[in-house]
Amino acid sequence: MTPNSPRPAGPRLTVADAMDLCDYQVTDDRTAEQADDVLRGTHADYLAVRGHDGRCEGLVTRAGLRPFLHLSGPAERTVGDTAHQQGPFAWPTLGLVLAIRVMDIMRWRVWPVIDDDGYLLGVLTADRAADAVAAAASA
Protein backbone atom coordinates (compact mmCIF):
# COMPACT_ATOMS: atom_id res chain seq x y z
CA MET A 1 0.00 0.00 0.00
CA THR A 2 1.43 3.39 -0.98
CA PRO A 3 1.06 6.44 1.29
CA ASN A 4 -1.71 7.86 -0.92
CA SER A 5 -3.65 4.63 -1.43
CA PRO A 6 -6.94 4.24 0.40
CA ARG A 7 -7.05 2.05 3.51
CA PRO A 8 -9.16 -1.12 3.33
CA ALA A 9 -12.70 -0.62 4.55
CA GLY A 10 -13.83 -2.21 7.79
CA PRO A 11 -12.04 -3.06 10.99
CA ARG A 12 -8.59 -4.63 10.98
CA LEU A 13 -8.89 -8.18 12.28
CA THR A 14 -6.34 -9.30 14.84
CA VAL A 15 -5.43 -12.65 16.36
CA ALA A 16 -7.57 -11.71 19.38
CA ASP A 17 -10.62 -11.75 17.10
CA ALA A 18 -10.14 -15.42 16.23
CA MET A 19 -8.23 -17.07 19.08
CA ASP A 20 -9.67 -19.78 21.32
CA LEU A 21 -8.94 -20.63 24.90
CA CYS A 22 -6.49 -23.47 25.38
CA ASP A 23 -8.29 -26.01 27.52
CA TYR A 24 -5.45 -28.42 28.20
CA GLN A 25 -1.94 -27.68 29.44
CA VAL A 26 0.98 -29.64 30.81
CA THR A 27 4.16 -28.57 32.58
CA ASP A 28 7.50 -29.25 30.95
CA ASP A 29 8.60 -31.50 33.85
CA ARG A 30 5.86 -34.09 33.23
CA THR A 31 6.88 -37.30 31.54
CA ALA A 32 6.09 -37.95 27.91
CA GLU A 33 3.86 -40.83 29.05
CA GLN A 34 1.87 -38.52 31.34
CA ALA A 35 1.37 -36.00 28.53
CA ASP A 36 0.32 -38.79 26.18
CA ASP A 37 -2.22 -39.99 28.77
CA VAL A 38 -3.69 -36.46 28.94
CA LEU A 39 -3.90 -36.23 25.15
CA ARG A 40 -5.62 -39.60 24.90
CA GLY A 41 -7.97 -38.97 27.84
CA THR A 42 -9.10 -35.57 26.58
CA HIS A 43 -9.07 -36.48 22.87
CA ALA A 44 -7.11 -33.26 22.33
CA ASP A 45 -4.82 -32.75 19.34
CA TYR A 46 -2.27 -30.73 21.31
CA LEU A 47 -1.31 -29.56 24.79
CA ALA A 48 0.16 -26.21 25.72
CA VAL A 49 3.48 -26.65 27.50
CA ARG A 50 4.22 -24.42 30.50
CA GLY A 51 7.59 -23.89 32.13
CA HIS A 52 8.23 -23.95 35.88
CA ASP A 53 7.42 -20.24 35.99
CA GLY A 54 4.04 -20.71 34.28
CA ARG A 55 5.08 -19.11 31.00
CA CYS A 56 4.23 -20.71 27.69
CA GLU A 57 6.96 -22.91 26.25
CA GLY A 58 5.06 -24.13 23.19
CA LEU A 59 2.78 -26.96 22.12
CA VAL A 60 3.21 -30.70 22.15
CA THR A 61 1.32 -33.19 19.97
CA ARG A 62 1.06 -36.97 19.89
CA ALA A 63 3.42 -37.02 16.93
CA GLY A 64 5.94 -34.97 18.91
CA LEU A 65 5.69 -37.34 21.87
CA ARG A 66 5.80 -40.59 19.92
CA PRO A 67 9.60 -40.92 19.63
CA PHE A 68 9.97 -40.36 23.39
CA LEU A 69 7.39 -42.84 24.60
CA HIS A 70 8.55 -46.12 26.10
CA LEU A 71 12.25 -45.38 25.78
CA SER A 72 14.27 -47.60 28.03
CA GLY A 73 16.78 -46.00 30.30
CA PRO A 74 17.30 -44.83 33.83
CA ALA A 75 15.68 -41.40 33.37
CA GLU A 76 12.19 -40.86 32.07
CA ARG A 77 11.85 -38.37 29.24
CA THR A 78 10.00 -35.19 30.13
CA VAL A 79 7.86 -33.02 27.90
CA GLY A 80 10.70 -30.47 27.98
CA ASP A 81 12.93 -33.09 26.29
CA THR A 82 10.51 -33.66 23.42
CA ALA A 83 10.38 -32.07 19.99
CA HIS A 84 7.54 -29.70 20.84
CA GLN A 85 6.72 -26.54 18.94
CA GLN A 86 8.60 -23.69 20.58
CA GLY A 87 8.24 -20.02 19.64
CA PRO A 88 7.88 -17.72 18.06
CA PHE A 89 4.48 -17.10 19.52
CA ALA A 90 1.61 -14.94 18.33
CA TRP A 91 0.40 -11.82 20.14
CA PRO A 92 -3.28 -10.86 20.33
CA THR A 93 -2.63 -7.59 18.47
CA LEU A 94 -0.96 -9.28 15.49
CA GLY A 95 -2.90 -8.80 12.27
CA LEU A 96 -4.93 -11.91 11.47
CA VAL A 97 -4.02 -11.97 7.77
CA LEU A 98 -0.32 -11.85 8.66
CA ALA A 99 -0.82 -14.60 11.24
CA ILE A 100 -2.45 -16.80 8.62
CA ARG A 101 0.51 -16.24 6.29
CA VAL A 102 2.99 -17.17 9.01
CA MET A 103 1.02 -20.30 9.87
CA ASP A 104 0.94 -21.29 6.20
CA ILE A 105 4.68 -20.81 5.79
CA MET A 106 5.50 -22.71 8.99
CA ARG A 107 2.84 -25.35 8.24
CA TRP A 108 1.26 -24.87 11.67
CA ARG A 109 -2.37 -25.79 12.27
CA VAL A 110 -2.34 -24.18 15.73
CA TRP A 111 -0.27 -21.32 17.18
CA PRO A 112 -0.02 -20.30 20.86
CA VAL A 113 -0.98 -16.71 21.68
CA ILE A 114 0.86 -15.10 24.59
CA ASP A 115 0.79 -11.82 26.48
CA ASP A 116 3.76 -9.45 26.85
CA ASP A 117 5.07 -11.45 29.82
CA GLY A 118 4.96 -14.81 27.99
CA TYR A 119 1.85 -16.25 29.61
CA LEU A 120 -0.57 -18.20 27.44
CA LEU A 121 -3.76 -16.37 26.47
CA GLY A 122 -5.10 -18.92 24.00
CA VAL A 123 -4.42 -20.49 20.64
CA LEU A 124 -5.07 -19.55 17.06
CA THR A 125 -6.13 -22.41 14.82
CA ALA A 126 -5.82 -22.22 11.06
CA ASP A 127 -9.49 -23.14 10.59
CA ARG A 128 -10.77 -20.53 13.04
CA ALA A 129 -8.55 -17.84 11.49
CA ALA A 130 -9.75 -18.63 7.97
CA ASP A 131 -13.39 -18.60 9.11
CA ALA A 132 -12.95 -15.18 10.77
CA VAL A 133 -11.40 -13.68 7.64
CA ALA A 134 -14.11 -15.18 5.42
CA ALA A 135 -16.87 -13.87 7.69
CA ALA A 136 -15.36 -10.38 7.67
CA ALA A 137 -15.02 -10.43 3.87
CA SER A 138 -18.66 -11.37 3.40
CA ALA A 139 -19.93 -8.74 5.84
Side-chain angles (χ1 to χ4, degrees), residues 26 31-44 47 62 65 69-70:
V26 65
T31 66
E33 286 81 10
Q34 289 170 324
D36 188 54
D37 288 344
V38 172
L39 283 168
R40 291 180 188 283
T42 60
H43 304 287
L47 295 173
R62 286 188 193 136
L65 289 175
L69 295 173
H70 312 297

Side-chain angles (χ1 to χ4, degrees), residues 32 49 57-68 77-86:
V49 179
E57 300 239 337
L59 295 175
V60 68
T61 64
R62 286 188 193 136
L65 289 175
R66 193 171 296 122
F68 298 90
R77 306 294 181 186
T78 65
V79 173
D81 296 330
T82 66
H84 62 279
Q85 176 189 337
Q86 300 171 329

Side-chain angles (χ1 to χ4, degrees), residues 106-118:
M106 300 301 289
R107 294 190 170 105
W108 291 335
R109 300 296 304 152
V110 61
W111 195 8
V113 181
I114 62 168
D115 66 12
D116 290 337
D117 295 318

Side-chain angles (χ1 to χ4, degrees), residues 78-130:
T78 65
V79 173
D81 296 330
T82 66
H84 62 279
Q85 176 189 337
Q86 300 171 329
F89 302 118
W91 289 279
T93 56
L94 179 66
L96 189 56
V97 172
L98 177 58
I100 291 170
R101 287 183 187 144
V102 170
M103 291 177 76
D104 284 343
I105 290 167
M106 300 301 289
R107 294 190 170 105
W108 291 335
R109 300 296 304 152
V110 61
W111 195 8
V113 181
I114 62 168
D115 66 12
D116 290 337
D117 295 318
Y119 294 99
L120 183 70
L121 296 173
V123 292
L124 179 66
T125 63
D127 291 340
R128 178 79 185 259

